[in-house]
Amino acid sequence: MASIIAFGGYVPRRRLQREAAVAALSWFNAGLSAHARGERAIAGWDEDTVTMAVEAARDCLPEDRRSVIRKLILASTSLPYADRQNAGIVKEALNLSDDVGALDVTGSQRAGTSALIAALESAAGGSEVLCLASERRKAKVASEAELTYGDAAAAILVGPGAGLAELVGHHSHTVDFADHFRASDRCLDYEWEGRWVRDEGYAKIMPTAIAEALAKFNVSADAIDRFIMAAPIRGIDKSVAKAAGIGADAVGDNLQDRLGTAGCAQPLILLAHALEKAAPSELLLVASFGQGCDVLLFRVTDAIGARAANMGVSGWLDRRKAEDSYIRHLHFTGALTLDGGMRAEADQRTPPSMLYRHRRSLLSLVGGRCTKTGTIQFPKSDISVAQNERAIGTQEEYPLAERRARIASFTADSLVYTPDPPGCYGLIEFEGGGRMTVDFTDVDPDTLEIGQPMRMMFRLKRHDVERGFKHYFWKAVPDYRAAT
């Protein structure tokens, strides 16, 4: 038997106000006013599917529990690398052992649930597997998709035993139904007519697959307590539930008005969100659409009431900043290129040889601790920085990514180039020792102050546009967990 052991999520801080976007576009397409309600989560310029997956994983599992992970699976249709293992970058950021397996899953909006099924099948063999799903999809400017998409990630740890929710069964139904597609030489999806997708795709394929699954599980439709389905078309989740015989009360909030639809990550985000409120013995049915349909059924156990506290999807949704600038949104997605001046023209090359040699420092944020004096430093080096004791060869590894910190000094620099000026950076001091100068992100410059609690986040440091290489590093953000 395999089950869900832990779960977490991540939603970027900025929320594009759809009303602001529609106001900027209504002269071109008045029909977009039908999508003006609510807001959608948008990633910052220094976020992508890898960084969001890392944060969801950290929300799912604290540092001292990550040694149980034997495999890591990352699902997305918007991965930053086509030929470099993206799950491997996440593994490094989480400071996992090198003997952990890693796998990317992509190519369909079902990738998230298909990855979860693969993880559950591996877990049934006795291993704990971390399943991540993350999306930052691009859309054509002034399209409906631009307003309905959302950026976010989810993490589900599965393993043998009862856990928080045990798997009752899973079922897959595969049909080459091309409601949209993106050729390998294209950047954006091509979407077919919405009414045909709704009537021939969602309305026929999904109820059929759910009926097959329930018959296989020997469970009646009216026994389902929570029906979990991404709904890129408003109301389609309620229609599918009705057609499948599932009660209307079982259809939960699909987060369309607060987050948008985060592609293949959405079913796992909604599952994590539902588990936050689920009660023991409830049956949760997850269904996802994409060239067919995946169906998973879970039964919540008594352990759900004793799960470890985390931010969860709800906590991340509450951590928000309204974004009224449609121009800034276009700039962050790369749909609009702004002139950054000569300072933006500096070569941003990262030698892979240097990155590999220093990957423990750059990707895992592992510093050094002198075993003779106890002095903590970053980066780790052969010579200790301890005053009056230049010990040599005494450093042991000292992970800093999960250490809380406080601002010792800071600058808001309007001269240095950054995609989101002003560039904020400064010196931070970690609890327990160690200091480093880092960039700040997700900050409002006017609110920075000495002594402010901060936390580290894995983000993009720079993008080598010339060679297509992304350089990741850690940045400091206001400690949103300070009150927990």
Side-chain angles (χ1 to χ4, degrees):
M1 177 176 64
S3 64
I4 294 173
I5 305 298
F7 58 89
Y10 176 71
V11 183
R13 179 179 179 235
R14 291 182 186 272
R15 309 296 156 75
L16 177 66
Q17 302 303 295
R18 291 187 176 122
E19 193 173 44
V22 169
L25 298 167
S26 59
W27 64 273
F28 178 74
N29 185 354
L32 291 175
S33 60
H35 305 279
R37 191 174 80 191
E39 58 189 22
R40 56 153 293 191
I42 55 173
W45 74 268
D46 57 354
E47 294 182 289
D48 63 13
T49 51
V50 166
T51 66
M52 293 191 293
V54 170
E55 204 54 41
R58 297 173 76 197
D59 188 51
C60 176
L61 269 183
E63 182 180 33
D64 59 0
R65 288 199 56 209
R66 293 178 197 159
S67 61
V68 302
I69 300 172
R70 304 315 311 153
K71 183 185 288 185
L72 185 155
I73 302 177
L74 172 59
S76 178
T77 64
S78 50
L79 293 166
Y81 285 101
D83 192 355
R84 178 188 177 192
Q85 193 175 57
N86 300 274
I89 304 172
V90 176
K91 170 262 168 190
E92 297 287 0
L94 296 175
N95 197 21
L96 302 180
S97 170
D98 288 353
D99 63 0
V100 168
L103 175 68
D104 290 342
V105 178
T106 186
S108 167
Q109 293 301 292
R110 268 199 291 157
T113 50
S114 297
L116 182 57
I117 290 172
L120 288 160
E121 289 176 339
S122 293
S127 299
E128 299 204 349
V129 182
L130 181 61
C131 179
L132 305 170
S134 180
E135 287 282 30
R136 187 187 183 187
R137 296 184 294 172
K138 293 183 176 180
K140 293 177 182 176
V141 174
S143 65
E144 291 182 12
E146 186 183 34
L147 297 174
T148 58
Y149 282 4
D151 303 329
I156 308 285
L157 178 70
V158 300
L164 304 177
E166 59 186 20
L167 177 69
V168 176
H170 62 80
H171 177 74
S172 294
H173 180 104
T174 300
V175 180
D176 185 26
F177 183 84
D179 56 311
H180 74 284
F181 56 87
R182 184 174 72 244
S184 58
D185 60 345
R186 303 295 175 91
C187 296
L188 301 171
D189 290 355
Y190 182 85
E191 302 199 15
W192 201 243
E193 197 261 331
R195 186 177 58 179
W196 177 75
V197 173
R198 182 194 63 199
D199 295 346
E200 291 296 320
Y202 284 91
K204 292 184 178 178
I205 294 175
M206 295 198 75
T208 299
I210 293 169
E212 293 170 351
L214 291 175
K216 182 177 175 181
F217 308 152
N218 195 27
V219 174
S220 63
D222 58 7
I224 302 302
D225 296 294
R226 295 180 188 266
F227 178 61
I228 298 164
M229 171 187 158
I233 303 171
R234 285 195 183 276
I236 192 64
D237 49 350
K238 295 182 176 64
S239 298
V240 169
K242 183 178 181 180
I246 297 172
D249 293 343
V251 182
D253 182 3
N254 56 42
L255 303 181
Q256 181 57 239
D257 290 340
R258 302 178 66 192
L259 187 155
T261 303
C264 78
Q266 191 75 359
L268 273 60
I269 292 168
L270 296 178
L271 173 59
H273 191 232
L275 284 168
E276 293 172 8
K277 297 165 286 188
S281 302
E282 283 190 355
L283 286 174
L284 278 58
L285 189 139
V286 184
S288 73
F289 181 78
Q291 290 79 59
C293 179
D294 283 336
V295 182
L296 300 95
L297 183 64
F298 296 95
R299 180 180 289 107
V300 180
T301 71
D302 293 340
I304 195 73
R307 71 180 183 90
N310 62 351
M311 285 280 285
V313 175
S314 297
W316 290 112
L317 286 171
D318 291 341
R319 174 185 176 264
R320 59 181 289 282
K321 178 179 181 179
E323 178 58 76
D324 293 317
S325 172
Y326 181 62
I327 294 296
R328 190 180 347 243
H329 165 65
L330 295 180
H331 175 48
F332 283 177
T333 61
L336 177 66
T337 302
L338 302 180
D339 182 12
M342 294 180 65
R343 288 186 173 90
E345 297 174 0
D347 194 352
Q348 301 288 316
R349 187 176 72 168
T350 297
S353 52
M354 182 274 292
L355 175 60
Y356 177 71
R357 192 162 54 247
H358 299 291
R359 64 193 173 103
R360 300 279 294 160
S361 297
L362 297 174
L363 298 180
S364 306
L365 197 65
V366 173
R369 177 181 177 276
C370 178
T371 55
K372 190 172 183 180
T373 66
T375 302
I376 297 162
Q377 65 184 73
F378 184 87
K380 175 174 175 278
S381 69
D382 289 337
I383 302 175
S384 173
V385 299
Q387 291 182 342
N388 305 319
E389 183 58 69
R390 297 299 186 192
I392 299 175
T394 59
Q395 298 269 309
E396 63 179 5
E397 290 195 341
Y398 189 83
L400 290 166
E402 304 298 336
R403 306 280 173 181
R404 289 181 169 178
R406 292 187 181 276
I407 295 177
S409 66
F410 67 89
T411 298
D413 192 340
S414 295
L415 294 178
V416 67
Y417 172 73
T418 171
D420 188 19
C424 296
Y425 52 91
L427 181 69
I428 59 170
E429 295 178 331
F430 290 98
E431 290 183 356
R435 339 170 93 194
M436 66 183 295
T437 300
V438 293
D439 291 331
F440 298 163
T441 191
D442 288 355
V443 297
D444 299 313
D446 295 341
T447 66
L448 290 173
E449 57 183 20
I450 302 298
Q452 181 174 341
M454 303 293 276
R455 180 177 186 264
M456 305 307 290
M457 261 197 182
F458 191 67
R459 293 294 183 94
L460 279 168
K461 173 72 173 177
R462 58 179 180 267
H463 185 195
D464 178 357
V465 178
E466 180 71 19
R467 302 167 190 84
F469 193 87
K470 295 193 173 186
H471 182 109
Y472 296 97
F473 191 54
W474 292 81
K475 299 181 179 180
V477 301
D479 192 351
Y480 42 82
R481 303 180 311 168
T484 64

